[in-house]
Amino acid sequence: MKYVDEYRDAELGRVLASEIVATVVPGRHYKIMEVCGGHTHTIYKHGVDDLLPENVELVHGPGCPVCVIPMGRVDDGIAIARRQEVILTCFGDMMRVPGGSGSFLEAKAENADIRMVYSPLDALRIARENPDREVVFFAVGFETTAPSTALTLKRAKADGVPNFTVVSNHVTIVPPLRALLESPDLRLDGFIGPGHVSTVVGARPFEFIPADYNRPVVISGFEPLDLLQSVHMVLAQLAEGRCEVENQYSRVVPYEGNPAALAVLREVFELRPHFEWRGLGFISHSGLKLSEAYRDYDAELRFDVPGVRVADPKACQCGEVLKGVIKPWECKVFGTACTPERPIGTCMVSSEGACAAYYNYGRFAREREVV
Amino acid sequence: MCLAIPGQVMEIVDEEHNLARVDVAGVRRNVNVGLLVGDGNDVRAGDWVLIHVGFALSKVDEEEAHATLALLKQLGEAYESELEELKASIIE
Ligand code: SF4
């Protein structure tokens, strides 16, 4: 129990770890997916999986919004950024995401005006400060982030800022989970539900998992103790033959979500018929585009974008990592051709990505020794 | 951008546009609290909120805020760079 002494309450950590041991059936293998990249980060950083018995395996899910952006969308962003009149703005995490023809960082080095922003509201301010330029915000994120883009667009419309538009790459959390549950190569016993997404959508949207697929879901906080407790709650449901959505993070996540955020999402966005996810392919009704009322603010309508689908590089196994089929270190280029400095795949880019989290905490060396 | 960092509301600076001045680990910046208004439970000075890309996502109690901050500090680089990005932010 190398790490547990660093936990907020080491004693509770030990108790939870031994309760987990007492809950599992020896000889049965348990596969539990943590959906959110933030959870993946905590698990590696704090060695949560080291406290679990050998037959409880945590697999990492598709909940890193930067990791799921397909190459073609990056290329579309670069095509817009190369226009003389355009300032393209994006979150820092997007800068190194590889597209078919380079990343935003590389395009910036070739004189495209691409600027990192902390918030979509910073992008809107840049638009006000540069009335003679077109300021485009390259938006990414799940339902956690989409309401921020939506409120920014409401403000732009209310104030009539004519030179501000958005490329929406916002995605929704439920469709990829359904796709994973339908996929035959993955057998999962339960889910650790995402914490921050759920502050917006609530716990209710996850009810289809127990209802249609007979798997427990526990929405979890981000501390190592939260994750240990959530793993225990999933295992307890399995042991007792229960199957429901439980909310371990109720101190932050209301079961019904955030009504103001949900309302602004409905007003500003509508579902795309389908959207491509890196490694997962096209998933229907999984992406958000600007609604009819906001079409004047849609960068994909204002500018010509290539909109070409670019296949992932052959060496890249991000799809398998995002589906939890392989562990990051099982990818052939992991840590050699693909590193956070020079990523081939997206999972290596964001600190929330499973490959980057593994790499940054030096976990791969240890795992390889064991195998 | 994936992080949500706790901050304490100092004052509401622009009622019309739902902007509040918050203190995040000593960094004072404006954020939008528009996602937390309208449920009769409006944000006030002294409240702790979780902040994500310049927007307050939810209210948290003080103990939760401190625990989350302690956890984030242990993240090291990811947290440092998020704070740097926040420092560069000017929301008006
Ligand atoms: S090591 Fe790189 S290419 Fe392989 S799965 Fe991870 S991010 Fe993708």
Side-chain angles (χ1 to χ4, degrees):
Chain A
M1 300 216 178
K2 185 166 155 240
Y3 290 89
V4 74
D5 291 327
E6 298 161 16
Y7 291 6
R8 178 146 62 119
D9 183 342
E11 192 42 45
L12 181 57
R14 285 192 192 89
V15 170
L16 281 169
S18 56
E19 276 179 9
I20 286 172
V21 173
T23 312
V24 298
V25 179
R28 172 171 175 190
H29 190 82
Y30 300 85
K31 251 188 176 183
I32 301 173
M33 173 174 276
E34 89 275 2
V35 174
C36 167
H39 287 155
T40 307
H41 207 116
T42 302
I43 288 165
Y44 292 157
K45 166 84 186 164
H46 298 277
V48 173
D49 48 347
D50 290 346
L51 296 177
L52 301 177
E54 221 147 82
N55 55 336
V56 178
E57 183 190 350
L58 295 178
V59 295
H60 324 300
C64 161
V66 173
C67 303
V68 300
I69 299 292
M71 307 250 265
R73 299 293 290 181
V74 177
D75 293 350
D76 287 351
I78 291 176
I80 294 174
R82 287 203 199 281
R83 300 173 71 103
Q84 274 304 318
E85 74 276 24
V86 165
I87 301 172
L88 187 86
T89 56
C90 65
F91 296 135
D93 283 355
M94 264 316 297
M95 293 300 284
R96 277 179 302 135
V97 173
S101 46
S103 64
F104 286 177
L105 200 63
E106 286 159 349
K108 186 179 163 76
E110 289 158 14
N111 289 327
D113 194 344
I114 302 182
R115 305 184 192 178
M116 261 166 54
V117 290
Y118 167 70
S119 167
L121 284 170
D122 285 311
L124 182 61
R125 169 182 47 81
I126 293 172
R128 288 181 208 277
E129 290 169 356
N130 295 276
D132 52 335
R133 306 282 299 277
E134 286 285 340
V135 175
V136 180
F137 179 60
F138 191 88
V140 299
F142 284 91
E143 287 98 331
T144 328
T145 317
S148 306
T149 306
L151 276 188
T152 303
L153 281 162
K154 270 191 88 154
R155 177 88 189 268
K157 193 177 184 192
D159 296 356
V161 183
N163 61 328
F164 178 73
T165 50
V166 168
V167 181
S168 170
N169 300 286
H170 286 302
V171 283
T172 58
I173 189 68
V174 163
L177 294 182
R178 203 179 269 282
L180 283 175
L181 283 159
E182 293 287 343
S183 130
D185 38 346
L186 193 65
R187 193 191 63 87
L188 291 170
D189 297 283
F191 289 89
I192 307 281
H196 292 140
V197 172
S198 302
T199 60
V200 172
V201 300
R204 195 172 294 286
F206 301 102
E207 285 176 353
F208 79 97
I209 298 178
D212 301 350
Y213 297 93
N214 251 320
R215 304 283 198 286
V217 181
V218 176
I219 313 262
S220 178
F222 292 87
E223 287 190 58
L225 289 172
D226 289 327
L227 283 157
L228 272 182
Q229 189 175 23
S230 299
V231 169
H232 181 243
M233 287 166 79
V234 169
L235 293 168
Q237 285 198 38
L238 292 169
E240 292 159 22
R242 280 185 300 127
C243 186
E244 53 199 68
V245 176
E246 288 182 295
N247 187 3
Q248 186 274 342
Y249 201 33
S250 59
R251 58 189 197 273
V252 176
V253 171
Y255 201 86
E256 300 295 337
N258 179 329
L262 292 170
V264 70
L265 284 183
R266 274 194 300 273
E267 179 187 339
V268 175
F269 292 112
E270 61 189 44
L271 283 173
R272 295 175 190 267
H274 44 70
F275 190 72
E276 190 192 356
W277 294 57
R278 181 158 324 207
L280 303 180
F282 284 93
I283 303 178
S284 45
H285 299 119
S286 65
L288 299 174
K289 68 172 181 133
L290 272 57
S291 66
E292 209 36 49
Y294 283 84
R295 60 175 293 129
D296 290 350
Y297 296 87
D298 191 336
E300 289 176 76
L301 298 177
R302 188 170 303 186
F303 306 100
D304 270 341
V305 290
V308 182
R309 180 162 194 267
V310 183
D312 292 336
K314 274 218 175 60
C316 169
Q317 290 189 276
C318 293
E320 277 72 22
V321 169
L322 289 169
K323 282 188 278 198
V325 175
I326 64 166
K327 296 283 192 237
W329 53 269
E330 289 174 312
C331 173
K332 283 179 202 66
V333 291
F334 176 87
T336 51
C338 185
T339 61
E341 290 70 41
R342 293 197 67 85
I344 290 179
T346 41
C347 305
M348 198 52 108
V349 177
S350 159
S351 59
E352 308 280 310
C355 293
Y358 247 72
Y359 189 90
N360 289 334
Y361 296 120
R363 296 292 299 257
F364 64 98
R366 214 167 58 219
E367 301 277 353
R368 281 202 168 139
E369 276 164 28
V370 190
V371 168
Chain B
M1 55 139 316
C2 288
L3 301 183
I5 304 193
Q8 189 173 27
V9 176
M10 306 276 93
E11 58 172 330
I12 304 294
V13 289
D14 180 344
E15 193 107 23
E16 189 196 341
H17 296 116
N18 293 316
L19 299 184
R21 191 130 189 103
V22 294
D23 183 306
V24 182
V27 180
R28 295 190 174 189
R29 288 292 178 275
N30 286 355
V31 300
N32 183 301
V33 295
L35 296 174
L36 302 181
V37 298
D39 58 354
N41 184 20
D42 289 0
V43 181
R44 286 188 202 94
D47 286 348
W48 286 86
V49 290
L50 278 184
I51 299 155
H52 172 67
V53 302
F55 288 76
L57 263 191
S58 53
K59 279 202 218 182
V60 288
D61 66 29
E62 188 166 350
E63 193 196 332
E64 174 74 18
H66 287 302
T68 307
L69 266 178
L71 183 74
L72 288 168
K73 279 188 191 132
Q74 290 173 7
L75 284 185
E77 201 200 303
Y79 171 68
E80 298 296 327
S81 67
E82 182 85 5
L83 270 190
E84 285 308 312
E85 285 169 23
L86 172 67
K87 276 183 198 161
S89 165
I90 307 168
I91 291 172
E92 49 202 19

